[in-house]
Structure formats: structure tokens, C-alpha cells
């Protein structure tokens, strides 16, 4: 009987903790075609576009560079594991980006970047409810470098961000994020930890 109860407690604990082990969602841009500035929210993300000129505006391109400095095509990397190495459609910006706002808060984990120029440095600046909450480390890139993943290093809720960049154009792809856990998720977590505690205590007794 006790063994059955122990197994039940362990099963309850694992079930309650499973929502916290969810894998990250990935925002890619492979279904966008042509080259253009963003015209509308995209999968819950609104990419800022200036009223005049490209300055800081987000745009997407899947065609060769047509000579327009603010329309850049994706770079091809020597990396076989890169999001830039297929027919994907990264989005690009010059210098500091305009804000990217989210329809619902998320935990933003990071994104892949590649540079169109030498000595490009980028970092995330994250905000929540109108206040900046975190700035990531800088990622420094050169033209021809393999794409690199930049982690935000932040596990709190975010509802907007900018990419602070210096010295030229860069492309971003495969933005990784997780939904912010609901209060009920935390309740399940505590229930799971309690069940694990009961299971451990009974194991020590027997």
C-alpha cells in the first residue's frame, strides 16, 4: 500500500512540474516574401517602422541586394546549423532598432544574429510595462562570421525590446521565447514540490 502511495506521489509531482519544462517557441520569418518594411503585426510581434526613411526600421528580404542600402538580403553562412543557411528570411536593421512590441508578455531568451559589416556590436534592451528591466551583454560580429546566438540573460517578463547596434547593418532570425507562466502554473509547481517532498520523506522512512 505504501509503495503504491509513493508511486502516486511521484507521478503527481512529475505531472505538476511538466509545464515548467516547456520548450522554447521560435519566431522565424520564412513565410515572408520579397523585401519590404513590416506593415502589420507579425505572429504577435510588432516591428517598429519609421514614418520617413529606414532609420532603425525593421524590414525583411529574401532577394539579392538591389543596391538599396536599407534593403539587405540574408547572408549565407559556412555554418550548417545556422538559421541563415537555408532559404530563410531573416529581418534586418541598421544601427539602433525601433522598438519591437509584443501582444502578450513573454520570457525572451535570445536570437541569432549575423553582420553585414565589420565590427558590428548588438545587444538586447528589454522593457516591461514601459520601464527598461534589463540589457544583455554585447555581441561583436564581423562580415563573413558565422551566425551567433545572443542570449538576453533575463528570465523575467518582457513586453517590448530594442536591439542596440553600432556601426552598420545586421540581420536577426529565430527569436526564441517562452510564454510567461500563468499563476496556476506556479500553483502546480508548488503542488509538485510538495508531492516530491512527501515522496522523499516516505522513501527515507522505508
Amino acid at each position: 500500500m505504501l509503495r503504491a502511495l509513493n508511486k502516486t506521489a511521484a507521478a503527481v509531482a512529475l505531472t505538476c512540474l511538466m509545464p515548467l519544462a516547456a520548450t522554447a517557441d521560435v519566431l522565424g520569418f520564412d513565410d515572408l516574401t520579397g523585401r519590404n518594411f513590416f506593415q502589420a503585426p507579425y505572429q504577435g510581434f510588432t516591428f517598429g517602422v519609421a514614418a520617413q526613411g529606414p532609420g532603425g526600421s525593421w524590414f525583411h528580404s529574401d532577394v539579392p541586394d538591389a543596391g538599396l542600402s536599407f534593403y539587405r538580403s540574408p547572408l549565407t553562412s559556412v555554418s550548417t546549423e545556422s538559421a541563415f543557411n537555408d532559404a530563410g528570411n531573416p529581418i534586418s536593421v541598421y544601427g539602433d532598432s525601433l522598438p519591437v512590441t509584443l501582444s502578450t508578455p513573454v520570457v525572451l531568451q535570445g536570437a541569432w544574429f549575423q553582420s553585414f559589416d565589420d565590427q558590428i556590436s548588438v545587444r538586447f534592451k528589454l522593457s516591461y510595462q514601459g520601464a527598461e528591466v534589463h540589457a544583455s551583454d554585447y555581441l561583436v560580429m564581423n562580415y563573413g562570421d558565422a551566425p551567433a546566438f545572443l542570449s538576453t540573460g533575463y528570465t523575467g517578463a518582457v513586453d517590448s525590446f530594442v536591439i542596440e547596434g553600432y556601426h552598420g547593418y545586421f540581420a536577426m532570425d529565430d527569436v526564441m521565447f517562452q510564454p510567461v507562466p500563468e499563476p496556476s502554473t506556479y500553483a502546480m509547481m508548488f503542488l509538485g514540490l510538495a508531492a516530491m517532498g512527501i515522496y522523499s520523506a516516505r522513501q527515507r522512512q522505508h
Side-chain angles (χ1 to χ4, degrees):
M1 180 68 176
L2 286 176
R3 182 174 297 177
L5 288 174
N6 287 344
K7 289 182 178 179
T8 300
V12 169
L14 291 174
T15 301
C16 292
L17 293 173
M18 278 179 64
L20 300 178
T23 57
D25 292 323
V26 179
L27 178 71
F29 307 95
D30 296 347
D31 60 331
L32 297 175
T33 58
R35 57 175 185 265
N36 207 343
F37 295 109
F38 280 82
Q39 303 298 317
Y42 178 75
Q43 298 187 25
F45 288 67
T46 299
F47 292 88
V49 175
Q52 294 182 347
S57 297
W58 289 100
F59 54 92
H60 60 87
S61 174
D62 62 354
V63 297
D65 189 339
L68 300 174
S69 62
F70 50 91
Y71 283 138
R72 298 285 179 143
S73 60
L75 298 180
T76 300
S77 167
V78 296
S79 169
T80 58
E81 300 176 356
S82 165
F84 295 85
N85 208 32
D86 53 22
N89 196 334
I91 57 175
S92 305
V93 74
Y94 179 87
D96 293 351
S97 76
L98 291 175
V100 179
T101 57
L102 290 75
S103 59
T104 57
V106 302
V107 176
L108 189 67
Q109 297 171 311
W112 288 87
F113 290 88
Q114 193 167 28
S115 171
F116 291 100
D117 297 290
D118 288 331
Q119 290 297 301
I120 301 293
S121 58
V122 296
R123 71 171 177 172
F124 285 99
K125 297 182 75 173
L126 311 178
S127 296
Y128 183 63
Q129 295 183 345
E132 185 177 322
V133 293
H134 180 74
S136 73
D137 293 335
Y138 280 103
L139 171 66
V140 180
M141 305 172 288
N142 291 300
Y143 182 84
D145 287 350
F149 184 79
L150 175 61
S151 171
T152 65
Y154 185 68
T155 58
V158 171
D159 58 16
S160 69
F161 66 90
V162 298
I163 305 299
E164 188 176 71
Y166 295 102
H167 308 306
Y169 281 91
F170 59 87
M172 180 177 76
D173 203 354
D174 285 2
V175 181
M176 300 183 67
F177 64 97
Q178 286 183 315
V180 174
E182 298 289 338
S184 59
T185 301
Y186 289 109
M188 290 283 285
M189 177 188 71
F190 289 124
L191 179 60
L193 292 174
M196 287 295 291
I198 294 171
Y199 176 75
S200 298
R202 287 180 173 171
Q203 287 291 96
R204 288 193 298 270
Q205 292 173 1
H206 302 280

PDB file of all heavy atoms in Angstrom, residues 44 53 57 72 76 81 91 100 108 137 149 156 175 178 193:
ATOM      1  N   GLY A  44       2.203  38.116 -33.421  1.00  0.00           N
ATOM      2  CA  GLY A  44       2.196  38.673 -32.082  1.00  0.00           C
ATOM      3  C   GLY A  44       3.314  39.653 -31.796  1.00  0.00           C
ATOM      4  O   GLY A  44       3.363  40.230 -30.707  1.00  0.00           O
ATOM      5  N   GLY A  53      11.854  57.287 -44.035  1.00  0.00           N
ATOM      6  CA  GLY A  53      13.210  56.759 -44.093  1.00  0.00           C
ATOM      7  C   GLY A  53      13.375  55.472 -43.304  1.00  0.00           C
ATOM      8  O   GLY A  53      12.523  55.086 -42.518  1.00  0.00           O
ATOM      9  N   SER A  57      14.259  51.224 -38.765  1.00  0.00           N
ATOM     10  CA  SER A  57      13.084  50.429 -39.119  1.00  0.00           C
ATOM     11  C   SER A  57      13.461  48.984 -39.394  1.00  0.00           C
ATOM     12  O   SER A  57      14.506  48.686 -39.978  1.00  0.00           O
ATOM     13  CB  SER A  57      12.398  51.017 -40.358  1.00  0.00           C
ATOM     14  OG  SER A  57      11.915  52.311 -40.116  1.00  0.00           O
ATOM     15  N   ARG A  72      18.534  44.728 -47.420  1.00  0.00           N
ATOM     16  CA  ARG A  72      19.649  43.782 -47.471  1.00  0.00           C
ATOM     17  C   ARG A  72      19.118  42.355 -47.528  1.00  0.00           C
ATOM     18  O   ARG A  72      18.162  42.005 -46.855  1.00  0.00           O
ATOM     19  CB  ARG A  72      20.536  43.953 -46.241  1.00  0.00           C
ATOM     20  CG  ARG A  72      21.170  45.329 -46.142  1.00  0.00           C
ATOM     21  CD  ARG A  72      22.307  45.494 -47.134  1.00  0.00           C
ATOM     22  NE  ARG A  72      22.897  46.815 -47.054  1.00  0.00           N
ATOM     23  CZ  ARG A  72      24.198  47.050 -47.187  1.00  0.00           C
ATOM     24  NH1 ARG A  72      25.033  46.058 -47.411  1.00  0.00           N
ATOM     25  NH2 ARG A  72      24.656  48.277 -47.129  1.00  0.00           N
ATOM     26  N   THR A  76      24.707  34.168 -46.478  1.00  0.00           N
ATOM     27  CA  THR A  76      24.891  32.715 -46.441  1.00  0.00           C
ATOM     28  C   THR A  76      26.109  32.407 -45.588  1.00  0.00           C
ATOM     29  O   THR A  76      27.181  32.952 -45.791  1.00  0.00           O
ATOM     30  CB  THR A  76      25.094  32.150 -47.855  1.00  0.00           C
ATOM     31  OG1 THR A  76      23.931  32.452 -48.634  1.00  0.00           O
ATOM     32  CG2 THR A  76      25.291  30.646 -47.797  1.00  0.00           C
ATOM     33  N   GLU A  81      24.520  24.624 -39.300  1.00  0.00           N
ATOM     34  CA  GLU A  81      23.485  24.598 -38.270  1.00  0.00           C
ATOM     35  C   GLU A  81      22.778  25.948 -38.157  1.00  0.00           C
ATOM     36  O   GLU A  81      21.969  26.156 -37.262  1.00  0.00           O
ATOM     37  CB  GLU A  81      24.093  24.231 -36.916  1.00  0.00           C
ATOM     38  CG  GLU A  81      24.775  22.872 -36.911  1.00  0.00           C
ATOM     39  CD  GLU A  81      25.446  22.574 -35.589  1.00  0.00           C
ATOM     40  OE1 GLU A  81      25.429  23.469 -34.718  1.00  0.00           O
ATOM     41  OE2 GLU A  81      25.970  21.475 -35.427  1.00  0.00           O
ATOM     42  N   ILE A  91      15.314  39.109 -40.758  1.00  0.00           N
ATOM     43  CA  ILE A  91      14.962  40.525 -40.835  1.00  0.00           C
ATOM     44  C   ILE A  91      16.175  41.354 -40.466  1.00  0.00           C
ATOM     45  O   ILE A  91      17.063  40.896 -39.751  1.00  0.00           O
ATOM     46  CB  ILE A  91      13.773  40.856 -39.922  1.00  0.00           C
ATOM     47  CG1 ILE A  91      14.073  40.479 -38.470  1.00  0.00           C
ATOM     48  CG2 ILE A  91      12.523  40.150 -40.407  1.00  0.00           C
ATOM     49  CD1 ILE A  91      12.983  40.893 -37.514  1.00  0.00           C
ATOM     50  N   VAL A 100      10.386  46.734 -30.705  1.00  0.00           N
ATOM     51  CA  VAL A 100       9.544  45.601 -31.075  1.00  0.00           C
ATOM     52  C   VAL A 100       8.609  45.370 -29.890  1.00  0.00           C
ATOM     53  O   VAL A 100       9.076  45.137 -28.770  1.00  0.00           O
ATOM     54  CB  VAL A 100      10.374  44.338 -31.347  1.00  0.00           C
ATOM     55  CG1 VAL A 100       9.459  43.170 -31.712  1.00  0.00           C
ATOM     56  CG2 VAL A 100      11.394  44.594 -32.450  1.00  0.00           C
ATOM     57  N   LEU A 108      11.827  36.378 -23.036  1.00  0.00           N
ATOM     58  CA  LEU A 108      12.621  36.431 -24.268  1.00  0.00           C
ATOM     59  C   LEU A 108      14.000  35.853 -23.998  1.00  0.00           C
ATOM     60  O   LEU A 108      14.759  36.373 -23.174  1.00  0.00           O
ATOM     61  CB  LEU A 108      12.734  37.868 -24.761  1.00  0.00           C
ATOM     62  CG  LEU A 108      13.355  38.080 -26.136  1.00  0.00           C
ATOM     63  CD1 LEU A 108      12.443  37.513 -27.221  1.00  0.00           C
ATOM     64  CD2 LEU A 108      13.613  39.556 -26.386  1.00  0.00           C
ATOM     65  N   ASP A 137      24.507  41.419 -22.549  1.00  0.00           N
ATOM     66  CA  ASP A 137      25.882  41.669 -22.978  1.00  0.00           C
ATOM     67  C   ASP A 137      25.887  41.999 -24.469  1.00  0.00           C
ATOM     68  O   ASP A 137      24.931  41.714 -25.192  1.00  0.00           O
ATOM     69  CB  ASP A 137      26.745  40.428 -22.731  1.00  0.00           C
ATOM     70  CG  ASP A 137      26.922  40.125 -21.254  1.00  0.00           C
ATOM     71  OD1 ASP A 137      26.820  41.064 -20.440  1.00  0.00           O
ATOM     72  OD2 ASP A 137      27.137  38.953 -20.916  1.00  0.00           O
ATOM     73  N   PHE A 149      24.440  33.155 -31.639  1.00  0.00           N
ATOM     74  CA  PHE A 149      23.262  33.328 -30.792  1.00  0.00           C
ATOM     75  C   PHE A 149      23.598  34.290 -29.664  1.00  0.00           C
ATOM     76  O   PHE A 149      24.609  34.137 -28.972  1.00  0.00           O
ATOM     77  CB  PHE A 149      22.815  31.990 -30.209  1.00  0.00           C
ATOM     78  CG  PHE A 149      21.546  32.081 -29.402  1.00  0.00           C
ATOM     79  CD1 PHE A 149      20.316  32.137 -30.030  1.00  0.00           C
ATOM     80  CD2 PHE A 149      21.589  32.125 -28.013  1.00  0.00           C
ATOM     81  CE1 PHE A 149      19.144  32.225 -29.293  1.00  0.00           C
ATOM     82  CE2 PHE A 149      20.426  32.211 -27.270  1.00  0.00           C
ATOM     83  CZ  PHE A 149      19.199  32.259 -27.909  1.00  0.00           C
ATOM     84  N   GLY A 156      12.777  37.187 -16.661  1.00  0.00           N
ATOM     85  CA  GLY A 156      11.523  37.844 -16.293  1.00  0.00           C
ATOM     86  C   GLY A 156      10.659  38.157 -17.495  1.00  0.00           C
ATOM     87  O   GLY A 156      11.033  37.925 -18.654  1.00  0.00           O
ATOM     88  N   VAL A 175      14.029  34.123 -33.304  1.00  0.00           N
ATOM     89  CA  VAL A 175      13.893  34.705 -31.963  1.00  0.00           C
ATOM     90  C   VAL A 175      13.268  33.656 -31.052  1.00  0.00           C
ATOM     91  O   VAL A 175      12.202  33.111 -31.347  1.00  0.00           O
ATOM     92  CB  VAL A 175      13.005  35.963 -32.007  1.00  0.00           C
ATOM     93  CG1 VAL A 175      12.885  36.579 -30.624  1.00  0.00           C
ATOM     94  CG2 VAL A 175      13.563  36.966 -33.013  1.00  0.00           C
ATOM     95  N   GLN A 178       9.525  32.135 -24.493  1.00  0.00           N
ATOM     96  CA  GLN A 178       8.546  31.283 -23.829  1.00  0.00           C
ATOM     97  C   GLN A 178       7.415  32.144 -23.290  1.00  0.00           C
ATOM     98  O   GLN A 178       7.655  33.283 -22.866  1.00  0.00           O
ATOM     99  CB  GLN A 178       9.175  30.510 -22.666  1.00  0.00           C
ATOM    100  CG  GLN A 178      10.073  29.357 -23.080  1.00  0.00           C
ATOM    101  CD  GLN A 178      10.597  28.617 -21.872  1.00  0.00           C
ATOM    102  OE1 GLN A 178      11.040  29.227 -20.908  1.00  0.00           O
ATOM    103  NE2 GLN A 178      10.538  27.299 -21.899  1.00  0.00           N
ATOM    104  N   LEU A 193       6.221  20.195  -5.968  1.00  0.00           N
ATOM    105  CA  LEU A 193       7.319  20.156  -4.998  1.00  0.00           C
ATOM    106  C   LEU A 193       6.864  19.528  -3.691  1.00  0.00           C
ATOM    107  O   LEU A 193       7.625  18.781  -3.051  1.00  0.00           O
ATOM    108  CB  LEU A 193       7.838  21.581  -4.758  1.00  0.00           C
ATOM    109  CG  LEU A 193       8.561  22.233  -5.940  1.00  0.00           C
ATOM    110  CD1 LEU A 193       8.891  23.684  -5.619  1.00  0.00           C
ATOM    111  CD2 LEU A 193       9.826  21.467  -6.307  1.00  0.00           C
TER     112      LEU A 193
END
